[in-house]
Each structure stands twice: as structure tokens, then as C-alpha cells.
Amino acid sequence: MSAFPSTAPAVRAPLPRGRRGTELIMLCFALVIVAFAYASVGFGLNGKLPSSLPLYVLGYAVVVFAAHFAVRWLAPWADPLMLPLAALLNGLGIVMLYRLQESGRNGNPGQVISTLSSSATMLQVVYSALGIAVFVGLLALIREPRVLQRYTYTLGTIGLVLLALPALLPDRFSEVPGTGAKIQIAVGGFTVQPEEFAKLLLAVFFAGYLVGKRDVLALAGRRVLGIDLPRARDLGPVLVAWAASLLVLIFESDIGTSALFFGLFIAMLYIATQRTSWLLIGILLFLFGALVTAALFSHVGARFTVWLHPFTRANIYCNPATQLHCVPSYQTVQGLYGLGFGGIFGTGLGHGEPFYTPLVQSDFIVTAFGEELGLVGLMAILLIFGLLVQRGLRAALGVKDPFAKLLAGGLAFVLALQVFVIVGGVTRLIPLTGITTPFLSQGGSSLIASWALVAVLVRVSDTARRPAPQPIQDEGMTQVVRA
Amino acid sequence: MNRALLRLSLACLGMFALLMININYVQAFESNSLASEPANIRIFNQQFTIQRGAIIANGDGTDLKIAESVKNKGTDTYHRVYPFGREYAAVTGYDTIYGKTGIEAAENRYLTGTSTDLGLHNLIGLLSGNQAGSDVILTISPKAQAAAYQALEAMAAQDGGKPAAVVAIQPSTGAILAMASYPTFNPNVLTTTNGAKLNKVDHQLLTAPGNPLLNRAINETWPPGSSFKIVTGSAAFGTKLVANPSTDVLAPTALSLGNGNYLHNDDFEPCADGDPPISVAFYLSCNTAFGRLGMKLTAPVLHSYADGFGFNDPNLQIPMPVSESPWPPVKYNDPAYTALQAIGQYNARETPLQEAMVAATIANHGVLMKPYMVQSIEASHNLATVYSATPSVLSTPINGTVASYMRTLMRGVTQNPSGTAYETAGPPATSIIIAGKTGTAQNGQISAGLVDDDAVFSSFAPAGNGQTPRIAVGVIVQGGGYGADAAAPIAVKIIEAYLGQS
């Protein structure tokens, strides 16, 4: 040991990088793809650059770059891929909406989609800006994930009210015309789909509730046949969630949302307790509920019939108003025909005929991508979603706070589940249930809720990747124990 | 909690893997079967987005477009145009959004560019983003076709539009030179993509008098009448029942059919001296002489000769499917019916194409060439020939000697002043030596108190000694009366137009 203090500078671990530069580059990359796709629509439709390109794409770029600088300021350690991935998906959604809106309008080939107004793209860009504003707002408001934990029950109550609201309102306020599904609140020409927000609020509630109860849920109980069964009284919340999801299913005719909520709850329960028994109980309950409701309620059973027999003429040409023994499968088969028509490489943007699929701009937007970008394009879009989910799960793994871990894990999973349910539905992997495709489908509620979801994931990832406080000065021989 | 999170990540991976496997299945493997499911509008629309190949008549050595696809203004779609309309309707057929006929139907896979034979050429089109159908080049001679169509139109203007059809073929190859049917239609009115409008036009055509959509040249049959004596004569020479054209044959004024009935000649006239050479009996078209030959030949022998000349073939395609010209077996080989069958007056029927095939066989030294209409098919991108016709022999019912005897007999019909077609197809009418046989088939139809016989003329030219026949023509005019009066002039016009003389 030397008698003199060392004069050499202490070897310090390099500061972990925030990687905001990477985010900026990836963001530019995403925007270039979106701009090219937008231009490609114009060339595909009528052989020239769309006149709206500068306004919409530049407008969107400005908003996205604003989000990037907000992240630099509010969440400097955040995962660098989440924002670019979300921005790319949102941008592709705008591009496809523009393509569908232009169909048959302004001298372009194709048919006008009667359910899509000529200002749909403009509105979607505005909603995107709103969504990104909400994204920035949430980042500013929630500086630490655990802040949310304080409002567990408040947010949970609001979530439940939002979920139940459409069922309680008269049909004329809440029914989506022609579908029988009561999932929206229509006020003065604008419609809000409260379930999109309820999903996020309930995720916060589940996280807060389970963090408190997880030990008791995981440890109490007895072992039967190698499976740890929970105590009967601990089953209560699970049964309540199950009953709520069934009620949504029955009163709002909304199988997709119901599956999403229950899936979210079971996944979070599993993360919290690590008990396989909860998973099994949850899946069994869901299957039981689905089968019973399918047998009891015709609108649920019809989904199964369409899934199994979409190509029978009776179903394709079915008019339920005048015919008794058929279920309309026209939309499903047109979506599939679009996918088949696109084949491996697709028709190219503007060259397909997605307008033949009813409501292609919302539930079936994935089939429009599949038709015009082909198998390769759809695979790429699924990979983008997959990557976003993976970044979310990575943030959950990295963060130490159990509440944040639970919340991020649940939200990442529900994003994956939503993509699985809708994409699997329109591609006939599973029975079709009408829910929106995150970021891609037309509609402000879905878009804003998706950005809010990404905001929470970004916040959690920022917390996870933030380095521990550095020693302020060189303390020479003193050893610093780093956390 | 991380262990559960990792497992949940695997579940997410599983969900995405399932989605990806499924879209691979749907878009890569199920694509073809989806294309054939009901109500697939996109596949239905595809027909308008590909530039369908042209149909070209090249029988005179230069290309003449008789059907082509023209781009609709301001869109990616095309519509079909038939520059000559009705003139080539029997050849091109029509191309509607719901169905096709004629060459449009028979060569659809090439015209749309979807035939697997086009493999590589298709790929080129696919890569250059300019997929187009292949051009179909026909053996049709515009000169002969124009003459055929105009002759039918001119006759219709005179007689009020009796159904008629004509086919001309090249005897040495079987290449079809002209094909026309009357009444006919304008295929341009059927090219609309407006479903309601098409239904209306289609309904009009389907209910129009005379069934204009029917291609009588290959899809309608009539009794051959006396023109069948070509086959009976060939059988008589072929079996050596009659030695040569100067051999005398018995030709009574009334031939006993052995069942108490008698067969007579036209208008109960005697046939020359009752024992004329077969060549005289032929140009006078004596029923009793050939009815008696038929009885002597027996029905099975006649049947086999009829088969050799192309009757009883339900599978002929040119490439359009040709209706069978039936020559049914005579029940119990009854001699009376055999006699009637030998002069084409029992239950045998034939298409105008069959009529031309009989004449072509004689013209081609007894060798019947398989009739065909598609000369070649060219891929649109690089003009590579993807198909080229090779003439093939359908059958050889008679040898060259018998054929030369028959040529002598048929030449007499037009060249001998007493021949049935001397006035209308002989020297008074044309300088070309035409060999032919008239038929005036009694069909049992009577209108306005007059017997409404079908007029038939089977012919080829030039038929002089040492000349090589270049065209064989079969004409049938339903209810036209005498074959020499109604059918022969039409044949003469086509022959003159094709051979370039008048």
C-alpha cells in the first residue's frame, strides 16, 4: 500500500448512454418509410405525387420530432426503439387510411368507401397529434411509475365505469350502427370508445391491487395433484373480473374487448404470483364462459359459424334481415380474398382492391396491408408489433419496482393479445372479434389509447434504464458500493 | 416475477409465431384456392386489368387484327374491341364479363396470359409490371372471310334472312380459311362491363329470332342430302363395286326398296337412259343410282366410310368444340333405310364444316387433314412464338385413285352442261374450274305452300386436271331450296375471292 494517495484519476465506469441519438436516427428512418409509402400511394393510384404529402407527412414529422425532444427532456433514459416503432405504425396507418380514402375519389380508380369520409386522413393526422400530445403529457405528469400506484382504486373505479357506460346508455348513444355492438359513446357527431381507455386504467388497477395481494395469492392455499390451489376467498377478485368480462360480452356484444380484459387480468395475476394454477383456472374459466355464451347467445355462436364455414354461398350472400338460417360471412371472406389476392409480394400500394372489404379501415385494415404489401409487408408489420411488445417486456424485466414491472408486463402483453385477437380474427386463425388494430385502424380513441400505453412503457423503461446516482466527487480510496 | 415475465414473453412469441405461420398459409399456400371461392370480386375484376391478347387473321400473309383490347381512358382497365364486328363474329365469338365463346373462349388462357405454357414469358411480364395476354394468330383469310360474310348478308337481303353457314378450309393442311354464320351478332355490343346493360343486350340476343349467337358453321347440323353421294361414290369406288367413272350403273326411274316402297329421282324424272355411267348419274344427282349402290354396299360399309370422312366424331376441336355430325347405324341394316341414308335423306346430319371436310378429303387425294384455326400464338412481350400449328392427318378414307375418280365426278357437276350446278358454279358463272356436289335436302318443312328444302353445296377449287386445289367450301342454307341455286353461288364468291379471280 502506498503512503501517498494515488494521483492517477480513478477508473470510473462509463456513464450508461441514454441513446437518444439512436432514437432520432430510427425516427428519421421510420418517417422516411412513411413518406415513401405515402408517395407510393399517389404513384400507385394516379401516377403522381399526392398533393397532400407535404402537409400531412411534414405535419406528422413535426409532431413526432416534438415527441422525441419531449422524451429527451422528460425521459432521457427511455428505450430508444419504442417511440420510432410506434411512430412507424401510426404513420403506416395514416398512409393506408389515405389510400382507402382516395379510392374512387378525385379521379382515382376503385370504389368510394361509403363509410369513410373524404377528410378521414386529415382527422387521423389530427388524432395522431392528439395521441402524441397525450404521450408527452403523460410523460410530464408521471415522472415515476409508482406515482400511479397511489390512485389504484380511483383509476380502477373510473375504468369500470368507462367499461360499463356503453351498456348502461340507450342504444342510440352506444351502438355502433349495423353491428349490434354497444361499445361507444356518441355525442354530437363524435364518438368515443371508452373501452380503449378503460383497458389502461384497469391495468393500473390490477397492478396496484396485485402488488398488495400477491404474497397472499401466491403462498396461501394447498397443493392438490401437484398444483397449488388458491384459497377460496382469494378467488374472489378473479371471479369478479371473469364475471365483468362476461357481462361485457353479453351486454355489449363485444367478444374482443371481453377477451382482452380477461387476458390482461390473468396475465398480470400470473406475473404477480408466478402460480401456474392461476393461469389454468383463468383459461378454463374463459373457455367455459365462451362456450356457454356461444351456446346461449346467437351473436356469439354466429362468430364460430363464420369461422368454421365462411365460404358457403348461403353465408356469403346472407342477409340476416330476411334469412333465418345463415350468418353473414361476406366481410370475412372479402378480407381473406384480399390477402390471397395480394399473395407473397402484394399488389403494391394503390393497385389492390381493398375497398371491396366492408369496414376495411377499422377492423380489417390488416387485410388491406396484406393485399397491397403482400405477405412480406404483413410479416414486417407483425415484426414491428412484436418488437414493440418485446421492448415493453424488456422494460418490465429491467425495472425493479414491482408495481412498474407488473404494469409494463401487463400492458406489453395486452398489446400482443390485441394484435393476436384482431389479426388472428381477420386471417381466420381464431373466430373474428371486432376490435381495433393498435395504431393502424381508423379512430381517435384507439390511437390516443395506444399512445398512452406506449407512454407508460416509455416511462417504465426510463426508470429501468436510469443509472444509479453517480458519486459526485472522486473519493480516492473510499470504495463506493454501487447498487 | 421475472420468471413469470419470461414465460409470458414466450407466450407473446408464440402468438406472433402463430399469426405469422397463419398469414404464410393464407397468402402463400391458400392463395390459389381462395381465388376460386364464390364472390371473389377481385379475381373476377382481374380480367379487365390485363391487356388481353389480340386475335389476328393472317390467312393472306398479312396481319389483320379482328379483336384487340384497348385501354379505357384514365384507368388501368381495358375493354375489348372488334374492328370488324359481325364479319368475324363466328370466328372470334364474344368476350363478356360473364362468359365467352369462339376463339375468345377456346384460347382464353393464352389471351389472358395465364396459360402455364407461357411460364417464362409471364414472369417477364410480371417483373416488368406489364402483364399482358398473348396474341392468337389465325389461319383465317380476310379475303375469303369478307366474301363469305358478304355473300351471306347479300343472300339474306334477297331471301329475308334464312339461317345459313359456310366454312372454307385449305385441303392440304386443314387450315380454316373462312367461317361465317347467319343470322349473326355484333360482338362489340357485349363488351360492356356494366352488368345491367349486358344483361339487357344478352337477353335481347338470346330471345332474338334466328338465334344469332349460335355458330351454325360448327354447332348446327342439317341433313346432307345429295351431297352425301360423294361419300357413297367414294365407297363404291373404294370397294371396287364400281370400277371407274365410266362404269355404268343401274338407275331406274323408280327403285324398289324391297318393302313395297319406291325411291324416285327428283321430280320423278328418269335418270338418263336408266343405265348411265356413274359420272352421269352423279352430275344428274340420280337418287335411284346411288340408293341402289348404297343397298349393295350395305349400311356397315357406308358407316365406316362416313366415319373416315369425319362423321360421328364428338371430340373434334378447331379449337372450338365442333358438334358431332351424326351418321347413326341403320337399324337391322335395313336396305330401304340404307338406300335413303346413301343419298343423305335418312337420319344422318352434318355441320357445314363437315360438308367442307368431305370436299377437302377428295381435293387432298383422299387424306382428311384435321381442321384447325390457330396458326400460332405469340407472347406479347418479346413476340416469341409459344405455339405453332402442325397440320395433322385425321384419317385417310380413300386412296388417291378413288379421290381422282371422285374429282372427275364432282367436276362434272359444274362443267357438264347437264350438271346440277353448271349454271351457278360452272363456266356461265365463273372461269375457275370448281368441283362440287349439290344437295337439296328434304327436311319436311313446308312454308307458304312451297317445300322448304335445305340447300347444300360441297366444293373445292381449282379442280382442273393437274391443278392443286387450294380451297374447299361447305355451304348450307336452311330452307334455301335447290343447292345449286341457293348454296353454290355463295361458294363461288368465296372461291373467287380467295383465288383472286372473278
Side-chain angles (χ1 to χ4, degrees):
Chain A
M1 213 176 256
S2 162
F4 302 98
S6 167
T7 51
V11 180
R12 221 187 249 181
L15 261 177
R17 295 164 57 213
R19 309 204 64 183
R20 296 275 68 80
T22 310
E23 182 179 86
L24 186 60
I25 292 168
M26 296 308 278
L27 215 45
C28 290
F29 189 39
L31 286 169
V32 166
I33 294 176
V34 170
F36 269 103
Y38 203 95
S40 168
V41 167
F43 282 112
L45 284 174
N46 53 18
K48 57 176 195 271
L49 270 178
S51 54
S52 54
L53 184 131
L55 181 66
Y56 290 172
V57 174
L58 284 183
Y60 181 64
V62 167
V63 178
V64 167
F65 282 126
H68 166 73
F69 288 107
V71 170
R72 270 183 189 268
W73 167 46
L74 295 166
W77 305 100
D79 187 296
L81 279 183
M82 286 178 179
L83 179 62
L85 289 169
L88 177 54
L89 288 169
N90 188 349
L92 288 176
I94 293 173
V95 168
M96 184 49 79
L97 218 54
Y98 171 69
R99 183 262 173 276
L100 295 173
Q101 168 206 299
E102 283 300 292
S103 173
R105 290 199 174 97
N106 304 322
N108 292 317
Q111 286 180 7
V112 173
I113 299 172
S114 59
T115 50
L116 194 61
S117 85
S118 57
S119 55
T121 315
M122 193 196 70
L123 263 176
Q124 190 78 353
V125 174
V126 170
Y127 287 142
S128 304
L130 270 177
I132 290 171
V134 167
F135 170 84
V136 174
L138 284 177
L139 283 183
L141 215 60
I142 309 163
R143 303 303 283 262
E144 283 293 330
R146 61 174 172 271
V147 171
L148 284 169
Q149 203 173 351
R150 287 183 219 149
Y151 305 103
T152 298
Y153 288 92
T154 316
L155 294 178
T157 311
I158 299 173
L160 273 178
V161 168
L162 285 180
L163 188 59
L165 204 54
L168 303 174
L169 285 173
D171 284 358
R172 65 196 164 93
F173 290 120
S174 64
E175 189 179 317
V176 178
T179 63
K182 294 180 67 173
I183 54 170
Q184 64 182 19
I185 300 171
V187 183
F190 278 90
T191 57
V192 178
Q193 307 217 325
E195 61 175 38
E196 299 281 357
F197 303 103
K199 185 175 66 192
L200 302 178
L201 296 173
L202 287 174
V204 175
F205 168 69
F206 291 154
Y209 171 79
L210 289 169
V211 160
K213 291 272 185 183
R214 67 192 187 107
D215 288 341
V216 94
L217 289 172
L219 300 175
R222 65 179 75 169
R223 203 172 168 81
V224 178
L225 294 171
I227 297 169
D228 292 308
L229 285 184
R231 290 185 305 187
R233 60 176 166 184
D234 294 331
L235 263 174
V238 183
L239 291 176
V240 167
W242 179 62
S245 72
L246 281 190
L247 288 176
V248 168
L249 178 60
I250 295 162
F251 288 104
E252 300 183 4
S253 303
D254 190 0
I255 311 166
T257 308
S258 143
L260 230 50
F261 280 115
F262 199 59
L264 172 68
F265 179 70
I266 292 300
M268 292 179 75
L269 191 60
Y270 178 63
I271 302 171
T273 62
Q274 308 214 49
R275 291 284 170 226
T276 322
S277 57
W278 286 115
L279 215 53
L280 289 177
I281 290 169
I283 292 169
L284 286 177
L285 277 176
F286 179 77
L287 287 180
F288 175 74
L291 287 176
V292 168
T293 46
L296 290 179
F297 298 93
S298 63
H299 63 263
V300 183
R303 304 292 180 127
F304 281 90
T305 314
V306 168
W307 181 49
L308 295 171
H309 310 288
F311 298 117
T312 45
R313 281 177 181 277
N315 288 343
I316 292 176
Y317 297 108
C318 179
N319 177 2
T322 56
Q323 289 159 287
L324 277 179
H325 302 290
C326 64
V327 283
S329 66
Y330 186 82
Q331 187 186 26
T332 304
V333 299
Q334 288 304 333
L336 288 169
Y337 294 162
L339 290 172
F341 191 64
I344 293 174
F345 296 109
T347 60
L349 284 168
H351 289 291
E353 292 152 68
F355 42 83
Y356 286 124
T357 313
L359 289 176
V360 66
Q361 70 273 25
S362 56
D363 298 357
F364 276 72
I365 196 139
V366 161
T367 65
F369 280 105
E371 178 173 352
E372 301 213 316
L373 298 179
L375 174 62
V376 286
L378 202 45
M379 289 288 277
I381 286 172
L382 286 179
L383 279 174
I384 300 171
F385 275 119
L387 215 49
L388 189 54
V389 169
Q390 188 266 340
R391 296 320 294 171
L393 289 166
R394 185 72 193 76
L397 276 173
V399 78
K400 292 196 185 69
D401 173 22
F403 171 79
K405 191 182 279 290
L406 209 45
L407 182 57
L411 288 178
F413 177 78
V414 84
L415 180 63
L417 188 62
Q418 185 165 356
V419 171
F420 179 74
V421 166
I422 186 59
V423 178
V426 297
T427 58
R428 210 160 79 91
L429 179 65
I430 55 172
L432 174 67
T433 58
I435 52 175
T436 57
T437 317
F439 290 111
L440 299 180
S441 291
Q442 182 202 21
S445 304
S446 165
L447 202 49
I448 293 167
S450 299
W451 275 111
L453 187 151
V454 170
V456 175
L457 292 183
V458 164
R459 172 51 72 213
V460 173
S461 76
D462 176 64
T463 309
R465 300 173 80 250
R466 187 181 304 153
Q470 289 287 319
I472 295 167
Q473 64 202 57
D474 188 350
E475 291 171 42
M477 305 292 289
T478 313
Q479 289 195 331
V480 175
V481 179
R482 288 210 179 85
Chain B
M1 297 206 282
N2 278 0
R3 198 159 55 91
L5 264 175
L6 283 171
R7 286 198 190 147
L8 213 58
S9 305
L10 284 180
C12 291
L13 185 68
M15 288 196 291
F16 278 99
L18 275 175
L19 286 181
M20 288 178 175
I21 292 168
N22 189 51
I23 61 165
N24 268 280
Y25 171 71
V26 171
Q27 295 203 265
F29 294 97
E30 207 185 17
S31 183
N32 276 337
S33 68
L34 284 173
S36 53
E37 293 289 357
N40 197 330
I41 314 169
R42 294 169 178 87
I43 300 299
F44 178 77
N45 286 347
Q46 231 176 4
Q47 55 184 314
F48 311 116
T49 58
I50 293 171
Q51 185 171 22
R52 203 173 160 82
I55 302 177
I56 293 165
N58 181 264
D60 296 334
T62 50
D63 284 354
L64 184 74
K65 272 189 186 172
I66 57 176
E68 60 185 320
S69 275
V70 179
K71 197 160 192 168
N72 291 319
K73 273 203 178 119
T75 69
D76 280 345
T77 59
Y78 296 83
H79 70 277
R80 203 73 168 149
V81 170
Y82 301 91
F84 297 90
R86 303 159 67 89
E87 186 173 329
Y88 286 86
V91 175
T92 57
Y94 57 73
D95 173 37
T96 72
I97 54 178
Y98 296 122
K100 311 171 199 310
T101 59
I103 288 289
E104 295 279 27
E107 297 298 340
N108 188 43
R109 293 175 65 81
Y110 283 103
L111 289 167
T112 55
T114 52
S115 173
T116 45
D117 304 5
L118 292 166
L120 183 62
H121 308 287
N122 252 352
L123 191 65
I124 294 167
L126 203 68
L127 293 179
S128 63
N130 184 23
Q131 196 181 355
S134 304
D135 292 345
V136 174
I137 290 108
L138 302 182
T139 58
I140 295 290
S141 150
K143 282 190 288 190
Q145 181 68 24
Y149 171 71
Q150 282 157 16
L152 291 187
E153 284 280 310
M155 186 192 62
Q158 278 176 19
D159 71 7
K162 286 172 178 156
V166 51
V167 174
I169 53 186
Q170 194 171 48
S172 58
T173 58
I176 294 177
L177 300 170
M179 184 161 83
S181 172
Y182 190 91
T184 190
F185 64 99
N186 185 347
N188 287 311
V189 302
L190 287 161
T191 57
T192 175
T193 52
N194 178 334
K197 198 173 152 196
L198 175 65
N199 279 344
K200 202 174 143 218
V201 176
D202 192 42
H203 182 74
Q204 275 172 3
L205 283 171
L206 283 175
T207 55
N211 194 2
L213 292 179
L214 175 68
N215 183 2
R216 291 173 176 75
I218 54 173
N219 294 128
E220 174 75 298
T221 58
W222 289 276
S226 295
S227 71
F228 190 76
K229 288 167 186 165
I230 301 172
V231 178
T232 307
S234 298
F237 288 128
T239 56
K240 307 232 163 29
L241 182 66
V242 178
N244 57 58
S246 344
T247 308
D248 290 345
V249 289
L250 268 177
T253 304
L255 175 70
S256 169
L257 294 178
N259 59 357
N261 290 325
Y262 289 86
L263 178 67
H264 301 279
N265 295 318
D266 200 26
D267 289 339
F268 301 92
E269 283 176 2
C271 179
D273 57 359
D275 185 19
I278 188 170
S279 57
V280 176
F282 192 81
Y283 69 62
L284 292 177
S285 198
C286 299
N287 292 340
T288 54
F290 284 86
R292 185 178 158 277
L293 284 176
M295 287 197 284
K296 289 214 150 198
L297 285 163
T298 73
V301 172
L302 271 181
H303 193 276
S304 71
Y305 273 85
D307 282 353
F309 277 92
F311 285 86
N312 296 322
D313 181 358
N315 301 317
L316 182 63
Q317 297 188 330
I318 62 167
M320 299 90 103
V322 178
S323 300
E324 177 183 5
S325 295
W327 201 99
V330 177
K331 219 174 181 182
Y332 312 123
N333 294 324
D334 181 90
Y337 288 131
T338 306
L340 288 174
Q341 198 76 300
I343 59 166
Q345 286 291 184
Y346 180 40
N347 58 0
R349 298 177 71 87
E350 64 176 357
T351 58
L353 173 66
Q354 176 60 50
E355 189 68 40
M357 285 160 69
V358 170
T361 309
I362 305 298
N364 195 37
H365 315 291
V367 180
L368 173 59
M369 302 302 290
K370 184 179 183 295
Y372 66 95
M373 197 183 274
V374 176
Q375 185 62 54
S376 58
I377 293 170
E378 284 178 359
S380 54
H381 293 286
N382 47 7
L383 299 180
T385 303
V386 290
Y387 167 84
S388 188
T390 354
S392 63
V393 174
L394 198 60
S395 70
T396 310
I398 52 175
N399 61 34
T401 314
V402 173
S404 72
Y405 290 166
M406 286 312 300
R407 188 197 285 210
T408 307
L409 260 57
M410 287 172 73
R411 201 160 51 215
V413 173
T414 61
Q415 301 303 308
N416 190 294
S418 305
T420 51
Y422 176 79
E423 291 294 333
T424 51
T430 175
S431 59
I432 298 172
I433 300 175
I434 297 172
K437 181 71 194 86
T438 55
T440 307
Q442 291 157 13
N443 54 16
Q445 299 286 318
I446 294 173
S447 68
L450 291 167
V451 179
D452 231 3
D453 294 340
D454 295 338
V456 185
F457 193 62
S458 180
S459 59
F460 60 89
N465 276 325
Q467 285 181 313
T468 304
R470 285 163 54 204
I471 181 170
V473 183
V475 185
I476 297 181
V477 181
Q478 184 175 314
Y482 287 108
D485 297 342
I490 295 172
V492 171
K493 280 182 190 149
I494 298 166
I495 290 170
E496 285 182 339
Y498 183 68
L499 297 181
Q501 291 169 34
S502 54

Short mmCIF file of all heavy atoms in Angstrom, two decimals, chain A residues 367-384:
data_model
loop_
_atom_site.label_atom_id
_atom_site.label_comp_id
_atom_site.label_asym_id
_atom_site.label_seq_id
_atom_site.Cartn_x
_atom_site.Cartn_y
_atom_site.Cartn_z
N THR A 367 -55.96 -6.60 -43.45
CA THR A 367 -56.11 -7.29 -44.74
C THR A 367 -55.78 -6.34 -45.89
O THR A 367 -55.30 -6.79 -46.94
CB THR A 367 -57.55 -7.82 -44.94
OG1 THR A 367 -58.45 -6.72 -45.01
CG2 THR A 367 -57.95 -8.75 -43.81
N ALA A 368 -56.01 -5.04 -45.70
CA ALA A 368 -55.62 -4.08 -46.74
C ALA A 368 -54.10 -4.04 -46.88
O ALA A 368 -53.57 -4.00 -47.99
CB ALA A 368 -56.17 -2.69 -46.41
N PHE A 369 -53.40 -4.06 -45.74
CA PHE A 369 -51.94 -4.11 -45.80
C PHE A 369 -51.48 -5.41 -46.47
O PHE A 369 -50.58 -5.42 -47.30
CB PHE A 369 -51.34 -4.01 -44.39
CG PHE A 369 -51.28 -2.60 -43.86
CD1 PHE A 369 -52.16 -2.16 -42.90
CD2 PHE A 369 -50.32 -1.71 -44.34
CE1 PHE A 369 -52.11 -0.86 -42.42
CE2 PHE A 369 -50.27 -0.41 -43.87
CZ PHE A 369 -51.17 0.02 -42.91
N GLY A 370 -52.12 -6.51 -46.09
CA GLY A 370 -51.75 -7.80 -46.66
C GLY A 370 -51.98 -7.85 -48.17
O GLY A 370 -51.21 -8.45 -48.90
N GLU A 371 -53.04 -7.17 -48.62
CA GLU A 371 -53.35 -7.19 -50.05
C GLU A 371 -52.34 -6.35 -50.84
O GLU A 371 -51.86 -6.77 -51.87
CB GLU A 371 -54.77 -6.66 -50.27
CG GLU A 371 -55.17 -6.61 -51.73
CD GLU A 371 -56.63 -6.25 -51.93
OE1 GLU A 371 -57.38 -6.20 -50.94
OE2 GLU A 371 -57.02 -6.03 -53.08
N GLU A 372 -52.04 -5.16 -50.32
CA GLU A 372 -51.23 -4.26 -51.13
C GLU A 372 -49.72 -4.39 -50.86
O GLU A 372 -48.91 -4.09 -51.73
CB GLU A 372 -51.68 -2.81 -50.91
CG GLU A 372 -53.16 -2.66 -51.27
CD GLU A 372 -53.52 -1.32 -51.85
OE1 GLU A 372 -53.04 -0.31 -51.30
OE2 GLU A 372 -54.27 -1.28 -52.84
N LEU A 373 -49.36 -4.82 -49.65
CA LEU A 373 -47.93 -5.01 -49.36
C LEU A 373 -47.55 -6.48 -49.36
O LEU A 373 -46.37 -6.82 -49.23
CB LEU A 373 -47.57 -4.37 -48.02
CG LEU A 373 -47.79 -2.85 -47.95
CD1 LEU A 373 -47.44 -2.33 -46.57
CD2 LEU A 373 -46.96 -2.14 -49.01
N GLY A 374 -48.55 -7.34 -49.47
CA GLY A 374 -48.28 -8.77 -49.57
C GLY A 374 -47.89 -9.42 -48.26
O GLY A 374 -47.88 -8.78 -47.19
N LEU A 375 -47.56 -10.68 -48.36
CA LEU A 375 -47.11 -11.44 -47.19
C LEU A 375 -45.90 -10.78 -46.56
O LEU A 375 -45.81 -10.65 -45.34
CB LEU A 375 -46.78 -12.87 -47.64
CG LEU A 375 -46.16 -13.80 -46.63
CD1 LEU A 375 -47.09 -14.02 -45.46
CD2 LEU A 375 -45.83 -15.14 -47.27
N VAL A 376 -44.97 -10.33 -47.40
CA VAL A 376 -43.74 -9.74 -46.87
C VAL A 376 -44.05 -8.49 -46.06
O VAL A 376 -43.48 -8.27 -44.98
CB VAL A 376 -42.72 -9.45 -48.00
CG1 VAL A 376 -42.09 -10.70 -48.50
CG2 VAL A 376 -43.36 -8.69 -49.15
N GLY A 377 -44.97 -7.65 -46.58
CA GLY A 377 -45.30 -6.42 -45.87
C GLY A 377 -45.99 -6.70 -44.55
O GLY A 377 -45.69 -6.07 -43.52
N LEU A 378 -46.91 -7.68 -44.57
CA LEU A 378 -47.65 -8.00 -43.36
C LEU A 378 -46.72 -8.61 -42.31
O LEU A 378 -46.84 -8.33 -41.11
CB LEU A 378 -48.78 -8.97 -43.71
CG LEU A 378 -49.95 -9.03 -42.74
CD1 LEU A 378 -50.40 -7.66 -42.32
CD2 LEU A 378 -51.10 -9.79 -43.37
N MET A 379 -45.78 -9.45 -42.77
CA MET A 379 -44.79 -10.02 -41.85
C MET A 379 -44.00 -8.89 -41.19
O MET A 379 -43.73 -8.91 -39.98
CB MET A 379 -43.83 -10.95 -42.60
CG MET A 379 -44.44 -12.25 -43.06
SD MET A 379 -44.76 -13.40 -41.74
CE MET A 379 -43.15 -14.14 -41.56
N ALA A 380 -43.62 -7.89 -41.99
CA ALA A 380 -42.85 -6.78 -41.45
C ALA A 380 -43.66 -6.03 -40.40
O ALA A 380 -43.14 -5.68 -39.32
CB ALA A 380 -42.44 -5.83 -42.57
N ILE A 381 -44.95 -5.81 -40.68
CA ILE A 381 -45.79 -5.09 -39.72
C ILE A 381 -45.93 -5.89 -38.43
O ILE A 381 -45.84 -5.34 -37.33
CB ILE A 381 -47.16 -4.79 -40.36
CG1 ILE A 381 -46.98 -3.66 -41.38
CG2 ILE A 381 -48.19 -4.40 -39.30
CD1 ILE A 381 -48.19 -3.39 -42.22
N LEU A 382 -46.10 -7.21 -38.57
CA LEU A 382 -46.19 -8.05 -37.36
C LEU A 382 -44.89 -7.99 -36.58
O LEU A 382 -44.89 -7.99 -35.35
CB LEU A 382 -46.53 -9.50 -37.75
CG LEU A 382 -47.97 -9.74 -38.18
CD1 LEU A 382 -48.17 -11.19 -38.56
CD2 LEU A 382 -48.94 -9.37 -37.06
N LEU A 383 -43.77 -7.93 -37.30
CA LEU A 383 -42.47 -7.84 -36.62
C LEU A 383 -42.36 -6.53 -35.86
O LEU A 383 -41.80 -6.49 -34.76
CB LEU A 383 -41.33 -7.97 -37.63
CG LEU A 383 -40.98 -9.38 -38.06
CD1 LEU A 383 -39.93 -9.38 -39.15
CD2 LEU A 383 -40.47 -10.18 -36.85
N ILE A 384 -42.88 -5.45 -36.45
CA ILE A 384 -42.82 -4.16 -35.75
C ILE A 384 -43.62 -4.25 -34.46
O ILE A 384 -43.16 -3.83 -33.38
CB ILE A 384 -43.36 -3.02 -36.65
CG1 ILE A 384 -42.54 -2.91 -37.92
CG2 ILE A 384 -43.34 -1.71 -35.89
CD1 ILE A 384 -43.14 -1.98 -38.95
#
